[in-house]
Amino acid sequence: QEAKAFAEETGPGPDPSQLRWDFNHPASSPWNQAVISQLMRLLTDMRQKWTVEPRSDEYWIDKITEKFNRIKRRVNRAKSHVLDDLSIETSVDVAARLADERDKVLMKARRDMRWRTKYYHRKEITKAMLAVKEAKGDDDALAWRFLNNVITTLGSDGMSSEDSEGEDTEPIFCTHILPWRRDIIKELNIIDQQRLRDSDIFSPRGAKSAKRIRSDNFSKSERKVVKGLPRPFYDQSWLAQNKGMSSDVPFRWMSVYATD
């Protein structure tokens, strides 16, 4: 009511000693703009005591607005929702929904950490194997150079995501399908198995290697497509329906095979 009265010029503005946001309206509303003005006055006095590099008023207004929007999103999530049967969520329902949302965020964070870890492990393996093979003058140095280039070009975003199943003591990861990516299971298996074969080369630090199951029946990854890779990195059927996604950078694909 106070915010409405202020907007209609029939009531006073925010009390400087008890500033409150109006989360029912955007930051651009008259009431919230008045709150931002009050905060800027306080900030002007505070900035005189700071030793950091000075910033413009526009910079601080943007930061305050960003903070308001973040808080507003949290407030809105904590409000009771109308359910499909037109009933209103109880406080218990709201708490359960927020807990479920938090669990999903944490699950995504764990998945993201796994595929980034996979990338760095594979990068470490291919780089080390290339150095060893070149130093020895082995014939398969060319194959390891190719595998190193594959991992480097794909980057961490090109690694598939995973969900964990099985017992906590022995996790089994089900690899999600990247529909846009070329089938490189054979190449990735060569890299992953090499870490187990050459334990004298690779550090045993880090998480213990877990069993991974790959199948065409698993769900597709929800991660975004990595754009701008050389054409050979994409599934050609997918690419035919999504033109303009690949780059014109040449990349010669090799057929590599594991040896005992």
Side-chain angles (χ1 to χ4, degrees):
Q1 295 295 332
E2 290 178 313
K4 182 180 179 181
F6 176 70
E8 295 174 350
E9 299 183 353
T10 59
D15 182 352
S17 63
Q18 293 182 330
L19 290 177
R20 290 178 297 169
W21 292 111
D22 173 18
F23 290 118
N24 292 319
H25 295 88
S28 58
S29 71
W31 180 275
N32 289 327
Q33 284 296 302
V35 172
I36 292 176
S37 296
Q38 293 286 356
L39 291 175
M40 286 300 297
R41 291 192 184 95
L42 295 173
L43 189 60
T44 299
D45 296 336
M46 295 171 59
R47 280 187 294 180
Q48 296 177 358
K49 303 176 183 179
W50 294 353
T51 58
V52 297
E53 180 182 354
R55 302 280 190 173
S56 66
D57 287 352
E58 290 76 13
Y59 170 85
W60 290 112
I61 290 174
D62 286 343
K63 290 300 179 182
I64 293 173
T65 303
E66 289 175 8
K67 184 70 172 180
F68 165 82
N69 289 330
R70 287 198 298 271
I71 298 174
K72 187 175 187 293
R73 285 193 292 269
R74 290 190 177 186
V75 170
N76 288 338
R77 286 201 301 269
K79 290 181 178 179
S80 295
H81 291 182
V82 178
L83 303 177
D84 292 339
D85 60 359
L86 301 183
S87 62
I88 306 297
E89 283 183 324
T90 65
S91 58
V92 175
D93 294 332
V94 172
R97 173 169 53 79
L98 293 177
D100 183 60
E101 291 177 359
R102 183 183 66 250
D103 289 343
K104 289 179 180 178
V105 170
L106 293 175
M107 183 181 296
K108 181 181 183 301
R110 288 193 294 269
R111 283 202 304 263
D112 290 350
M113 181 179 68
R114 282 199 293 268
W115 56 257
R116 286 194 176 94
T117 300
K118 275 197 300 184
Y119 167 73
Y120 289 116
H121 281 171
R122 287 166 174 167
K123 180 65 178 173
E124 174 192 11
I125 292 168
T126 56
K127 183 178 179 180
M129 290 303 299
L130 176 59
V132 169
K133 296 296 183 179
E134 287 185 336
K136 292 182 178 180
D138 290 347
D139 294 337
D140 56 352
L142 185 61
W144 281 104
R145 178 176 295 279
F146 162 73
L147 292 173
N148 183 61
N149 289 339
V150 168
I151 297 300
T152 301
T153 304
L154 273 176
S156 60
D157 289 338
M159 302 294 106
S160 59
S161 57
E162 299 167 327
D163 273 337
S164 177
E165 294 186 355
E167 300 296 332
D168 292 339
T169 55
E170 188 177 353
I172 299 175
F173 293 122
C174 301
T175 302
H176 288 185
I177 300 170
L178 293 175
W180 59 268
R181 194 182 70 183
R182 178 192 185 117
D183 183 358
I184 57 172
I185 291 177
K186 179 182 66 176
E187 289 81 359
L188 296 180
N189 280 339
I190 292 174
I191 297 171
D192 294 340
Q193 290 300 315
Q194 195 66 45
R195 188 183 185 193
L196 301 178
R197 292 177 182 173
D198 292 322
S199 58
D200 56 329
I201 297 178
F202 303 108
S203 169
R205 292 178 301 173
K208 180 181 177 181
S209 296
K211 182 178 180 180
R212 288 182 169 85
I213 302 176
R214 297 180 173 91
S215 172
D216 292 338
N217 296 324
F218 288 160
S219 61
K220 296 181 180 180
S221 174
E222 297 178 356
R223 300 226 323 274
K224 294 182 179 179
V225 176
V226 179
K227 301 178 182 179
L229 297 175
R231 187 179 182 87
F233 283 85
Y234 295 94
D235 177 87
Q236 295 306 300
S237 297
W238 180 91
L239 194 60
Q241 300 176 6
N242 296 270
K243 298 184 183 300
M245 300 295 289
S246 64
S247 71
D248 295 328
V249 176
F251 191 97
R252 183 181 178 184
W253 201 268
M254 292 179 58
S255 294
V256 294
Y257 301 92
T259 57
D260 295 333

